[in-house]
Amino acid sequence: MNPTAPAPLRVPRGPRLPRLPRLPRLPRLPHLPHLPRGRRGPRRKPVFAIAVTVVFFVLLYLPIAMVVLFSFNAQKSLTVFKGFSLRWYEAFFHDNVLLGSLGMSLEVSLVAMAGSVVLGVALALGLVRNKGRLGTYAGLIMMVPLITPEIVTGVASLLLFKGLGITLNTGTVMIAEITFSISYVTVILRSRVAALNPEVEEAAMDLGATRWQALRLVTLPALLPAILASAVLIFALVFDDFVLAYFTTGVDPQPLAVRIYSAIRFGVEPTINAVGTLMLAGSITLIGLALAIPRLFGRRGGLDLISGE
């Protein structure tokens, strides 16, 4: 050992800490019976809520079911059912007045569908891409027809046409229906346009496409499911519309809904039940088709149509 080397330092040990006492063992819980997953105890059914729901649907759909049932009645009775028959459907297809009204309703629905879809697509694109105050104010104004009572819109349309000296005819009905339907198309398409990636359209323009070509070849195909769904929905809404058509139609021909109202003021004929049943079946088919179109294109369907997703 080298005598000149310093002695190593020794750190004194402190006192040992006292040992903690062991905690007492907790008693075991009693064995609980095995319950199926999702049920951890008896749950009382909301009997009152179920009863109110049943009564609501009975009051809502029972009159409709009675109209459908008596449209197949073999006799001219609206209170006693005497057997199934198609005589009232045959009477409808041989009634030139009702067939003329049916043709007018189809014509108005097709024109309103085309006009509102074209204007609604343009308005949705403009509202989404305009980030300034003008786009915000235009979006608020666009929502006004959705919250305004339809009878107010009908009276306003009537006063406008009368003030301009325009005679009420099929054209006035078309103009009123297009104006009323634009907001529905815009609401359906607006969120869908907002969900599109703008970089895809910019990439198309970087590859040499003009802005119109990028819109026609990129943006519109991506919006096609929502456009078709909104078009079918507008057709169904306009075809069944009564209030707006009543205030803007002329004497003859009249839309089918207005013709039915004029007929029932003098008594309900079994033919009207047949017409109502056909309109109900057509509306259900069109709305079901509108909800199924997005799914046919590989997109989410169902109630997501309202949000345009």
Side-chain angles (χ1 to χ4, degrees):
M1 176 178 292
N2 189 2
T4 61
L9 296 177
R10 293 183 179 181
V11 179
R13 294 181 178 180
R16 291 186 176 183
L17 296 176
R19 195 170 186 179
L20 296 177
R22 181 175 295 179
L23 296 176
R25 183 174 296 179
L26 296 176
R28 297 183 63 181
L29 296 176
H31 178 71
L32 297 177
H34 176 72
L35 294 177
R37 182 174 297 181
R39 297 181 60 186
R40 296 303 179 186
R43 299 179 62 182
R44 299 180 58 184
K45 294 183 178 180
V47 180
F48 179 75
I50 295 176
V52 171
T53 304
V54 171
V55 171
F56 169 77
F57 281 107
V58 168
L59 294 178
L60 181 64
Y61 290 107
L62 183 59
I64 300 176
M66 296 302 296
V67 169
V68 175
L69 176 63
F70 279 94
S71 67
F72 297 98
N73 196 1
Q75 293 187 359
K76 189 178 179 180
S77 175
L78 299 177
T79 56
V80 180
F81 189 78
K82 294 293 186 179
F84 287 92
S85 175
L86 297 177
R87 58 178 296 191
W88 307 118
Y89 292 90
E90 296 177 359
F92 165 68
F93 287 109
H94 288 85
D95 192 326
N96 294 328
V97 176
L98 292 177
L99 290 179
S101 298
L102 175 61
M104 179 183 177
S105 294
L106 293 175
E107 181 182 358
V108 171
S109 300
L110 289 173
V111 174
M113 177 187 68
S116 60
V117 166
V118 172
L119 297 176
V121 170
L123 183 58
L125 291 172
L127 290 177
V128 172
R129 297 182 178 182
N130 191 340
K131 305 298 183 180
R133 291 185 177 181
L134 180 60
T136 302
Y137 294 150
L140 294 177
I141 295 174
M142 181 270 303
M143 297 296 294
V144 172
L146 299 179
I147 61 177
T148 303
E150 192 175 358
I151 190 172
V152 176
T153 306
V155 173
S157 301
L158 175 62
L159 295 178
L160 175 64
F161 293 137
K162 290 295 185 181
L164 296 177
I166 301 176
T167 305
L168 298 181
N169 51 36
T170 305
T172 57
V173 181
M174 293 178 180
I175 295 175
E177 295 290 356
I178 291 174
T179 306
F180 181 72
S181 304
I182 291 175
S183 298
Y184 290 93
V185 179
T186 306
V187 168
I188 294 174
L189 294 178
R190 187 176 181 180
S191 58
R192 180 58 188 161
V193 174
L196 295 179
N197 188 358
E199 297 179 355
V200 178
E201 187 173 344
E202 294 175 359
M205 290 188 289
D206 291 340
L207 294 175
T210 62
R211 185 172 295 276
W212 167 248
Q213 290 175 336
L215 176 64
R216 181 172 57 89
L217 300 176
V218 177
T219 305
L220 292 182
L223 297 176
L224 184 59
I227 292 175
L228 293 178
S230 60
V232 176
L233 184 62
I234 293 302
F235 183 90
L237 292 177
V238 174
F239 184 79
D240 292 340
D241 184 64
F242 165 75
V243 177
L244 197 57
Y246 179 79
F247 284 98
T248 56
T249 189
V251 178
D252 194 61
Q254 292 179 335
L256 188 58
V258 179
R259 180 69 65 183
I260 292 175
Y261 172 76
S262 302
I264 62 177
R265 289 187 302 173
F266 305 100
V268 179
E269 295 288 334
T271 309
I272 302 301
N273 291 336
V275 176
T277 303
L278 293 175
M279 294 179 64
L280 176 64
S283 300
I284 293 176
T285 302
L286 291 175
I287 294 177
L289 181 61
L291 296 176
I293 283 178
R295 189 175 297 274
L296 296 177
F297 281 84
R299 303 183 185 275
R300 294 168 59 188
L303 297 179
D304 294 332
L305 167 68
I306 304 303
S307 63
E309 300 178 356

